[in-house]
Each structure stands twice: as structure tokens, then as C-alpha cells.
Amino acid sequence: MPHSDQLKLIDVRKPLVRMLLVVPVALALLFAWYAVRWYVGDFVAEFAPRMDEGQIEAAQEAVRLAPDDPWTHWVMAGLKKRSFSPEDMAEAVHQYEEAVRLSPYDYRFWIDLGRAREESGDSAGGEKALRRAVELAPNYAYTHWYLGNLLLRAGRGEEAFAELRRAAEANPQFRPQLFNVAWTLYGQDVEEIKKVVGDTPAARVEFATYLAGRGRLDDALALWSSLSPAEKKGANETGSAIMKALLSQKRYRTALGVLSDMGASVDPKASQFINGGFENNISAQGGDPFSWQIKTDAQAQIAIDESTQHSGSRSLRIFFRVTEALAFNVSQMVVVEPSTQYRLEYYVRAEELKGAATPVVQILDAMDGATVLGASQPAAAGTYSWLPVTINFKTPPKTEAVIVSIVRADCGDPVCPIFGKVWYDDFNLQSVGGASSPRDSSKGNRGGH
């Protein structure tokens, strides 16, 4: 059968054919017109709240151009709500209602409708809208938070805190606000507050932090004690906050106990050095308050020396090249018993050490940070191998901790040069007459009571 490539022509002059061609074009133009109006209305609505003048007029034009767009009604409602006049508030509620009618499954519109209804005096209508928002977004914190606040203002405390707790569980950033509300409402009654803020580990941890910040340290400690060992180890921020508050009150032994709870290898019941043999690295940021703290100077290079040691494998070296007065400090706070006689032992060596004021080791009462309970003689000048040093001292009746420091002796002269190297190792603290803990010669980590 022969193939035909002839062009077929349609006679558009016939009325039926003409109609069939015009209708699709008209529909397309109509659709395009509504689409453009919707787009323009949406565009105007988006920028209306940012305009300094003519915001309402712009929003009204957006509603006229796109009356079926919920966004335009939402923008108009927000602008009306800002004026706080009764007439505008009523119009705001109407516009929010239009938004939820056009988009009934958008929880954001229901939230704003609920808040606007309550502000206009319709608490029941506001609650209904907010409960619908909760149904649509049950895992979203703000739906519970706004509903809880409405119920709280309505005097329905138990229902309110149930919603506020759910908000805090969904978003922990709400917990401080939850604590503030409960703190005010229940007159700082910690036991009552604990009942309404929740008893989950996360709630107890954050409430303990809150109480520490409020100065209710014993209440914070009670909550901290209620946590399991694993929960304490995972709550470093709270533990650190409580420990900092304890240190400010000079409750050093309890602070050391919190540090132990957080997973540090310390015994809060024993007087001991941490890393007394310098076998572990020393943090430049100072680490915890019971580890070695170093305040260095460019002319006094302080470092761990892995090539020189009295025992174990390392020691602390200080290299001096100083032509003037120098302030440096290596210190550690050690928890002790009050009214107790102690003996501090350590080892020192030097290489070509010379100067008018060589380093000394001194023991300060941590309760005031100034009272000297004992001190060594300045390190001998010259070059020599490891020498033992002993310092005997007695703690005052109220002392819980001492600060053992390596410092430079007072020179009394602005021009006070010191040169050479000095090493320290194996710091060990014992109560005199008590049984000393065996020294680990392989690690030199700590000595104890």
C-alpha cells in the first residue's frame, strides 16, 4: 500500500472546529491568570510584614489577588493583631479562621488562631484551636507549650504542667522556662516543683543544674545523688556546675566526690595527688580543679620530660632563661582532713641551675589561698641528681584542702635572672603516723593516705 505524505488541512472556519480550538486556549489563559494572581498575591503577602509603610494596604491587595491562598490571610491576620485594638483583633481572628479553613491541616495556622482567640477574650475557643494544633503535630514542642500556657493562665495547673512537660521533653530548650514557671508558681518549694517538672533522668539532671544556679546547692546535690552511676557519668555539664558551686563555697571534699561520680579516677575519701608522677599529660586548659594547673611564661618553659625520671617514665621539667623577675606557677589542690599532721614528699634534680631566687614548693591553705602551712628551701643551685625533699605541716581545724605549688622564691629585685633546668617527680602526701599508700614505682601516679 503506497504511503502518503500529503498534508491534511483543517477548515477552522467551521463553528464547531473553531469552538474546539478556542476553549482549550481560553482555559489555559484563565488558569494562567489565576496562577499569576496567586503568585503575585503570595509575593506581596511575603513582603508585606517587612514594609515600613503601607503594610495593611499591601496585605489587603494580596488577599484580593489570592483570596484562596491561606498565606495571604495569615499575613493579614498578623498585621491586624499588632495594633491591639478590639476591632483589629476581631479581624485578625477572622483572617486566621480563613487561613485554617483554606488549609485545615497546617498546625501553624491553628496555633496562631488559638493564641489570637485567647487574646481576644475567647479562652475556650483558643483552647479548642490549640488542641487541634496538638492533634496535628503531637511531637512538636510549641503546640504543647502554647496550650500549656493557656491552661496555666486559666488556673488549670495540673493540666498545664502536663503539656509544658511534653514541650520540654520534645525540646529541652523549654526546660529552663518550665523551671522558672514552676519556681514562681510554687514559691520555690523544691519538692512541689519536682512533682510537676517530671521525674525523668534528663529532667532531674537539668533541674539540678537549675538549682545550683539558684544557690540551692544542697537540693541540687540531693537530685544529683538520685541519679544512677551511669547517668552521673553522662551529665558532665550538671556535675561541673555543681562542682563549681561547691568550690565557691569551699566544700572541697564534696566537690571531689562529684568529680569522682563523673568518672574521674579519684578517691574522695583519701588525701592524694592526681598524676603525682606526671605519667599522664597535663591539660593546657587546666582540666579539672584537682589536677595540675600550670601558669607559664615564655621565659620558663614547662613541659613533661620523657627522657628523665625518678621513677616511672616521665617527670616535670622547667627550663629557665630569665633576665628579670618572673611569675610562674605549677600547682595542684589536694583534699585533706582538718587538724591533721601531714608529710609531703617529692624529688628534685637540676642542671646548671643558677639565680638569685630558685624555685620553692609551698603548701597553702585552700580556704583563703594565702596562708602558708609549709614550704621547702629554695632548690639548690648547680647540677645534681635526684634529691628527696620532705615538708611537714599541719592543717587548720576548718581546712578541707591545700594547694601545693611550685613557685619562684621572692627575689625582691626587678632584675632577678635565673637560668638552667630543674625537674620534679613523685609527689606523695601522707598523714603522719598513718599508713601510707604504696607508691607505684612503675607509674609514679599518686601517693595517698
Side-chain angles (χ1 to χ4, degrees):
M1 184 175 180
H3 177 69
S4 175
D5 292 329
Q6 293 181 348
L7 181 65
K8 297 183 183 286
L9 299 177
I10 300 175
D11 186 359
V12 298
R13 291 174 296 178
K14 296 180 180 179
L16 181 59
V17 174
R18 185 178 299 176
M19 182 175 294
L20 290 174
L21 291 175
V22 168
V23 169
V25 173
L27 290 174
L29 290 173
L30 185 63
F31 175 79
W33 166 244
Y34 277 106
V36 169
R37 287 186 62 183
W38 185 291
Y39 175 79
V40 172
D42 218 34
F43 180 83
V44 173
E46 181 178 355
F47 284 93
R50 308 179 195 177
M51 300 176 184
D52 294 331
E53 297 180 359
Q55 294 175 321
I56 292 293
E57 291 78 4
Q60 289 172 337
E61 183 64 17
V63 171
R64 188 186 68 80
L65 290 170
D68 295 329
D69 183 354
W71 184 256
T72 61
H73 294 280
W74 180 83
V75 170
M76 171 66 81
L79 293 173
K80 288 288 185 178
K81 186 180 173 183
R82 290 181 193 176
S83 74
F84 299 106
S85 72
E87 297 79 8
D88 283 344
M89 181 58 73
E91 178 62 19
V93 170
H94 170 70
Q95 293 294 334
Y96 282 132
E97 288 173 343
E98 281 297 296
V100 299
R101 182 183 66 81
L102 294 166
S103 183
Y105 300 105
D106 192 322
Y107 70 91
R108 297 172 300 175
F109 297 151
W110 284 103
I111 286 177
D112 286 340
L113 174 59
R115 297 176 68 190
R117 280 178 173 174
E118 187 198 9
E119 289 180 33
S120 67
D122 182 9
S123 181
E127 179 184 347
K128 183 178 180 181
L130 288 172
R131 289 196 181 280
R132 178 56 179 158
V134 169
E135 291 175 3
L136 292 170
N139 298 320
Y140 186 53
Y142 281 92
T143 58
H144 296 285
W145 185 255
Y146 288 127
L147 177 57
N149 275 275
L150 181 147
L151 295 171
L152 194 64
R153 287 187 288 270
R156 295 154 64 182
E158 187 174 345
E159 294 178 76
F161 277 103
E163 295 297 331
L164 296 175
R165 276 198 309 273
R166 293 187 183 103
E169 288 165 4
N171 185 347
Q173 292 182 350
F174 280 111
R175 278 214 176 90
Q177 299 179 57
L178 171 62
F179 299 149
N180 282 332
V181 171
W183 188 261
T184 302
L185 191 64
Y186 289 96
Q188 304 180 16
D189 187 330
V190 172
E191 292 304 315
E192 288 299 316
I193 295 171
K194 284 162 61 176
K195 295 176 184 177
V196 299
V197 300
D199 194 41
T200 64
R204 280 181 287 154
V205 163
E206 293 193 34
F207 191 38
T209 306
Y210 181 85
L211 289 169
R214 286 280 185 174
R216 300 287 287 270
L217 194 48
D218 289 328
D219 291 318
L221 281 169
L223 272 174
W224 177 259
S225 299
S226 72
L227 301 172
S228 70
E231 290 165 351
K232 290 176 181 177
K233 290 179 181 179
N236 284 337
E237 184 177 347
T238 297
S240 296
I242 293 174
M243 186 168 62
K244 182 178 179 180
L246 288 166
L247 291 172
S248 70
Q249 294 186 8
K250 303 187 186 301
R251 297 168 63 177
Y252 298 111
R253 185 172 297 281
T254 306
L256 186 62
V258 174
L259 180 64
S260 178
D261 290 340
M262 293 164 62
S265 299
V266 296
D267 182 359
K269 297 180 181 179
S271 302
Q272 60 177 275
F273 272 90
I274 297 175
N275 195 21
F278 304 101
E279 296 303 303
N280 301 318
N281 291 329
I282 299 174
S283 171
Q285 286 74 35
D288 66 72
F290 297 98
S291 64
W292 288 109
Q293 312 291 313
I294 294 180
K295 179 184 178 182
T296 188
D297 187 280
Q299 300 181 85
Q301 300 175 15
I302 305 173
I304 298 294
D305 190 339
E306 297 183 353
S307 64
T308 305
Q309 63 280 324
H310 173 259
S311 69
S313 60
R314 312 205 297 183
S315 64
L316 183 76
R317 182 193 67 219
I318 307 175
F319 182 20
F320 295 105
R321 289 184 296 184
V322 182
T323 58
E324 56 189 20
L326 169 71
F328 80 96
N329 182 281
V330 178
S331 65
Q332 183 173 146
M333 183 160 55
V334 185
V335 170
V336 294
E337 295 291 341
S339 301
T340 302
Q341 190 74 35
Y342 282 95
R343 180 170 64 246
L344 171 65
E345 296 176 346
Y346 65 92
Y347 289 82
V348 61
R349 64 162 294 186
E351 182 179 298
E352 299 182 354
L353 181 64
K354 53 186 177 181
T358 56
V360 300
V361 173
Q362 61 183 16
I363 298 100
L364 304 176
D365 186 351
M367 302 305 286
D368 61 16
T371 302
V372 178
L373 305 178
S376 71
Q377 293 296 318
T383 298
Y384 46 87
S385 189
W386 293 104
L387 296 176
V389 181
T390 300
I391 305 172
N392 294 302
F393 67 96
K394 185 176 181 179
T395 56
K398 296 183 179 180
T399 294
E400 287 195 10
V402 296
I403 301 172
V404 178
S405 299
I406 306 171
V407 297
R408 190 180 183 190
D410 186 16
C411 187
D413 190 337
V415 180
C416 191
I418 179 173
F419 299 93
K421 301 176 184 177
V422 62
W423 288 262
Y424 292 91
D425 203 359
D426 290 342
F427 280 82
N428 178 37
L429 186 64
Q430 304 173 24
S431 61
V432 175
S436 63
S437 61
R439 186 177 303 165
D440 187 343
S441 61
S442 66
K443 294 184 177 180
N445 189 42
R446 58 171 70 99
H449 169 57

